């Protein structure tokens, strides 16, 4: 589903929702059709796994009931809900699991209202999916209200539910100013929704996938799905686990996903089982599999509540084929068990990831979000968010911005004061430009033609252009538009219209086709934000993962979590990834390498670092080599930033913690232009700490350079190695690149040019002087 929009007051048929808890949309609101839940706009692509808030994992057996209570904050309301005269309709969205039904519900509210409100003419009306729940009447003697409880009819509930609050207030019988500070009310985010849920029994059926293993109705609950692997799993088995778990991570998208690995069936709940044979998983009896097979069977340890998705076959190769069929050809599956064929899928092309915006032509806003998400309602609407993803290796001539042509409609006067009203445009919370709602009047005869065209029915459409600077691009980007409309003063005691609408035209475009794909690596911020360069091919055909000879379950869990996060960014499972062990790295020399394993269990990493990085691995420790004498000589002229970075890293490594995690990036010594990123650490717990840092929106921006260390919940980043380039630049841009940040090279070229001019000139002048002295001139 496209990312949900925003806005403060949709029409009655589409009620607004609460602002999502994402950094880019802290002040916006989302909306979605019932039965079609959409991810809240602005949330990071992968959120950190957190406690299950919105009526999550059931613990009761089918036919039994449980009671769950959640606050509005746990359901996604980040702060107390502020209702104003021009911002009178707000709400939030939450889902109900597919295997549960609501049998009873109660809403308990608390908050406050303005003491200036007239009780007989003011109220806060509450609705659930457009059905009336109750109303709160203000009391001048007691502005604070609650807790006040309202029963909610279970018949009102659906898969996706909109709980809305509409504020109507008057502080005078006549002449109420909607912008007055006397018109306000607040609904506390500590208000609660209590549901009594009855568990339903679901029949095993492959057609229901990804349910019940992942339920898309739970909009803010991260996925936690155990993965069961046989002991001493081979490369094909690990590849099957990587493909299948990443496919579930793609379904979870922004919610985040966690895949704890074990060698035994979990005692409760659902799990994914990789079975390269009928007897490879202890405690699980499977029928004979004649080829790649997918099956949904009851969990033998929890047959009432748990199901197992079995991905298997006669051997590991069959299991890998079955995992590919799950990721590519799931639509044709049905029944509890199916034998599948190798899927026919064309190889992906660079930068064609399903979730990435196209970079070969201008892209319409209507292709990125649903046109309904481009609407604004009221004088104080929320931000219109247009999220889009792309690789961050964008290079333009002299950092020229990439053009965005925006077309928009807004009410003309005398409803709004078009002289001061405007549309603000930005990207990733950075303001870029404002467009007035009163366009400049074109000169004659264009003004006459424009009036005739508008009279013919095309409507008043304003347009403008602004640029997206390349330095603002990350893996997940967010174009933001906000209408700032001021009501026109129409005199005292004259009402101001409340049903005000404005919109961004879906035919507005963003054009990345003018950018070149070129950058310098290593840059761990690119890896942390978008998985680049591994996600350049959405099926990871250019990637090889290097795992220890006998990886532990904790190490495999860190590997699956990392790979799932990268796959969710592009929206495609790694169906063509290669899995190798440290002794076979030469077999994948032509690929980018993703190395996973603690320091003492990745001998290939130590060998590669010896030639490509000042970092050296000695057992379970990392040291920094001293610079050579030539490097010291260069520092006299070019600065000693590199030496300072090494000293700072050396100081951090001198005080190791118990569970340090590390990300290390460098150029592969096996092939020029190929990358190596190592997820490592002192132990598996340190590696998992680094994966958690990649999920944390507060720690994620701190992962930069070519070395990042997480210790005690803090991330330190360093740049100690040399850079290399990936991508393509036309020859006419080479001078800009080579001299853009190298003043010493520019100075050398100036001196060389001066010599090339001065030496011939000197020779010519000396010869002319000699001829004059001889009298030949």
């Amino acid at each position: 589903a496209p990312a949900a929009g925003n806005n403060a007051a949709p029409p009655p048929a589409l009620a607004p929702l609460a602002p999502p808890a994402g950094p880019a949309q802290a002040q916006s609101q989302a909306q979605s059709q019932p039965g079609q839940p959409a991810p809240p706009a602005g949330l990071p692509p992968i959120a950190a796994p957190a406690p299950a808030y919105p009526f999550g994992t059931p613990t009761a057996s089918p036919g039994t009931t449980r009671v769950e209570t959640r606050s509005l904050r746990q359901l996604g309301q980040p702060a107390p809900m502020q209702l104003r005269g021009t911002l009178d309709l707000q709400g939030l969205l939450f889902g109900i699991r597919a295997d549960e039904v609501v049998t009873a519900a109660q809403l308990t509210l608390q908050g406050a209202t303005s003491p200036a409100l007239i009780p007989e003419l003011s109220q806060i009306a509450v609705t659930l999916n457009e059905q009336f729940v109750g109303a709160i009447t203000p009391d001048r003697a007691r502005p604070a209200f609650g807790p006040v409880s309202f029963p909610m009819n279970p018949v009102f509930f659906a898969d996706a539910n909109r709980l809305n609050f509409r504020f109507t207030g008057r502080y005078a019988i006549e002449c109420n100013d909607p912008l007055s500070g006397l018109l306000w009310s607040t609904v506390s985010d500590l208000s609660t929704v209590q549901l009594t849920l009855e568990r339903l029994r679901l029949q095993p059926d492959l057609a229901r996938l990804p349910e019940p293993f992942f339920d898309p109705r739970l909009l803010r609950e991260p996925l936690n799905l155990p993965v069961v692997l046989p002991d001493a799993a081979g490369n094909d088995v690990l590849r099957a686990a990587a493909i299948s778990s990443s496919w579930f991570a793609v379904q979870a998208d922004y919610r985040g996903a966690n895949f704890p690995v074990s060698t035994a069936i979990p005692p409760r709940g659902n799990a994914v089982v990789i079975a390269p044979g009928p007897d490879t998983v202890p405690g699980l009896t499977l029928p004979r599999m004649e080829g790649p097979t997918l099956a949904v069977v009851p969990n033998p340890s929890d047959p009432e509540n748990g199901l197992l998705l079995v991905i298997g076959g006669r051997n590991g190769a069959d299991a890998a084929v079955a995992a590919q069929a799950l990721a590519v050809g799931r639509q044709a599956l049905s029944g509890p068990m199916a034998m599948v064929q190798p899927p026919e899928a064309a190889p992906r092309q660079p930068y064609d990831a399903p979730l990435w915006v196209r970079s070969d032509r201008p892209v319409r806003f209507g292709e990125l979000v649903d046109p309904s998400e481009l609407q604004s309602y009221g004088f104080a609407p929320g931000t219109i968010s247009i999220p889009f993803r792309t690789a961050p290796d964008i290079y333009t001539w002299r950092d020229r911005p990439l053009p965005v042509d925006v077309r928009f409609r807004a009410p003309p006067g005398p409803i709004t004061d078009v002289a001061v009203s405007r549309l603000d445009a930005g990207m990733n919370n950075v303001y870029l430009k404002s467009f007035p709602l009163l366009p400049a009047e074109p000169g004659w005869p264009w003004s006459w033609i424009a009036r005739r065209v508008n009279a013919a029915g095309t409507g008043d459409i304003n347009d403008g252009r602004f640029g997206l600077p390349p330095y603002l691009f990350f893996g997940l980007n967010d174009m933001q538009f906000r209408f700032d409309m001021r009501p026109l003063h129409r005199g005292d005691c004259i009402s101001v219209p409340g049903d005000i609408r404005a919109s961004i035209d879906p035919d507005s475009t963003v054009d990345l086709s003018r950018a070149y794909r070129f950058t310098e690596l290593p840059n761990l911020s690119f890896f942390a934000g978008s998985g680049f360069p591994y996600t350049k091919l959405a099926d990871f055909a250019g990637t090889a993962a290097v795992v220890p000879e006998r990886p532990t379950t904790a190490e495999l869990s860190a590997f699956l979590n990392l790979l799932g996060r990268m796959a969710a960014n592009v929206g495609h499972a790694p169906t063509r990834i290669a899995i190798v062990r440290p002794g076979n790295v030469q077999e994948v020399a032509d690929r980018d390498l993703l190395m996973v394993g603690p320091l003492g269990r990745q001998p290939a990493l130590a060998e590669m670092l010896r030639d490509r990085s000042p970092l050296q691995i000695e057992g379970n420790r990392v040291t920094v080599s001293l610079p050579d004498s030539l490097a010291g000589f260069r520092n006299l002229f070019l600065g000693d930033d590199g030496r300072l970075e090494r000293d700072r890293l050396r100081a951090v490594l001198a005080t190791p913690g118990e569970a340090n995690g590390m990300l290390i990036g460098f150029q592969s010594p096996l092939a020029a232009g190929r990358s190596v990123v190592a997820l490592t650490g002192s132990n598996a717990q340190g590696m998992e700490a680094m994966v958690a840092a990649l999920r944390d929106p507060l720690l994620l921006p701190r992962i930069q350079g070519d070395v990042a260390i997480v210790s005690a919940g803090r991330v330190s980043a360093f740049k100690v190695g040399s850079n290399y380039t990936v991508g393509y630049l036309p020859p006419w841009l080479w001078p800009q690149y080579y001299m853009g940040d190298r003043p010493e090279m520019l100075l050398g070229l100036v001196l060389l040019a001066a010599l090339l001019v001065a030496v011939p000139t000197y020779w010519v002048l000396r010869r002319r002087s000699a001829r004059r002295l001889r009298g030949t001139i």
Side-chain angles (χ1 to χ4, degrees), residues 48 50 61 160 228 242 277 287 315 332 356 362 409 412 501 555 606 634 687:
S61 300
V228 181
N315 47 45
W356 283 6
R409 294 179 174 86
R501 301 190 182 190
E555 294 164 2
R634 288 196 301 264
M687 295 168 50

Side-chain angles (χ1 to χ4, degrees), residues 288-315:
R288 182 179 178 85
M289 294 180 284
E290 300 295 337
T293 301
L294 293 171
V296 178
V297 300
N299 185 342
S301 303
D302 186 20
E304 293 293 329
N305 299 312
L307 292 175
L308 303 178
L309 174 60
V310 179
I311 301 172
R314 296 161 298 185
N315 47 45

Side-chain angles (χ1 to χ4, degrees), residues 37 98 139 175 188 196 205 208 215 225 243 316 389 408 526 538 565 682 735:
D139 186 349
C175 304
S188 173
T196 302
D205 190 355
R208 294 182 59 88
D215 196 329
L225 182 61
I243 295 172
R389 302 176 185 181
F408 58 94
F526 286 2
R565 185 183 187 280
S682 56

Side-chain angles (χ1 to χ4, degrees), residues 4-350:
N6 31 40
N7 310 326
L14 255 183
L17 306 171
Q25 289 296 306
Q27 302 300 323
S28 68
Q29 294 178 328
Q31 60 188 30
S32 176
Q33 294 285 358
Q36 298 177 351
L43 281 178
I46 299 298
Y53 285 151
F55 311 106
T57 306
T59 57
S61 300
T64 59
T65 61
R66 65 186 179 102
V67 178
E68 291 283 346
T69 302
R70 297 288 182 261
S71 67
L72 300 189
R73 177 182 298 177
Q74 292 172 325
L75 293 179
Q77 179 66 31
M81 193 176 295
Q82 307 290 334
L83 300 167
R84 298 291 184 264
T86 56
L87 190 62
D88 59 347
L89 183 61
Q90 295 189 49
L92 53 87
L93 176 70
F94 64 92
I96 304 296
R97 291 181 59 91
D99 57 356
E100 291 185 320
V101 63
V102 178
T103 58
Q106 179 174 280
L107 174 66
T108 302
L109 300 176
Q110 52 185 320
T113 57
S114 170
L117 297 178
I118 302 176
E120 294 80 8
L121 303 177
S122 306
Q123 67 173 3
I124 301 174
V126 184
T127 61
L128 175 68
N129 297 331
E130 309 305 331
Q131 301 291 334
F132 178 75
V133 173
I136 297 174
T137 302
D139 186 349
R140 287 182 168 179
R142 296 184 57 198
F145 63 84
V148 181
S149 296
F150 300 97
M152 294 188 289
N153 194 331
V155 177
F156 296 166
F157 285 87
D159 291 340
N161 304 280
R162 300 191 306 274
L163 183 63
N164 300 310
F165 300 83
R166 179 180 289 277
F167 170 62
T168 303
R170 299 184 71 87
Y171 60 87
I173 300 298
E174 297 179 351
C175 304
N176 286 268
D177 182 5
L179 299 179
S180 172
L182 299 177
L183 292 178
W184 64 267
S185 63
T186 300
V187 177
S188 173
D189 55 335
L190 300 180
S191 303
T192 61
V193 175
Q194 183 183 80
L195 300 184
T196 302
L197 302 163
E198 182 174 342
R199 184 79 187 278
L200 304 176
R201 183 184 297 276
L202 297 180
Q203 297 299 322
D205 190 355
L206 292 170
R208 294 182 59 88
L209 291 174
E211 298 175 9
F213 306 95
F214 165 70
D215 196 329
R217 298 164 182 80
L218 303 181
L219 302 180
R220 292 176 176 86
E221 182 179 353
L223 171 65
N224 189 75
L225 182 61
V227 177
V228 181
L229 297 175
D231 194 20
N235 292 339
D236 287 331
V237 174
L238 295 185
R239 185 163 172 261
I243 295 172
S244 56
S245 61
S246 295
W247 180 77
F248 278 103
V250 170
Q251 311 308 309
D253 195 18
Y254 67 93
R255 303 167 181 85
N258 183 46
F259 302 102
V261 175
S262 66
T263 57
I265 302 297
R268 295 188 61 85
N270 304 324
V272 173
V273 178
I274 310 299
D279 302 320
T280 54
V281 180
L284 180 62
T285 302
L286 296 173
R288 182 179 178 85
M289 294 180 284
E290 300 295 337
T293 301
L294 293 171
V296 178
V297 300
N299 185 342
S301 303
D302 186 20
E304 293 293 329
N305 299 312
L307 292 175
L308 303 178
L309 174 60
V310 179
I311 301 172
R314 296 161 298 185
N315 47 45
D318 279 355
V321 170
Q324 288 179 312
L326 172 69
V328 178
R330 175 184 58 89
Q331 294 78 4
L333 299 175
S334 64
M337 186 173 181
M339 191 170 72
V340 296
Q341 299 297 324
E344 295 181 1
R348 308 292 304 197
Q349 299 301 313

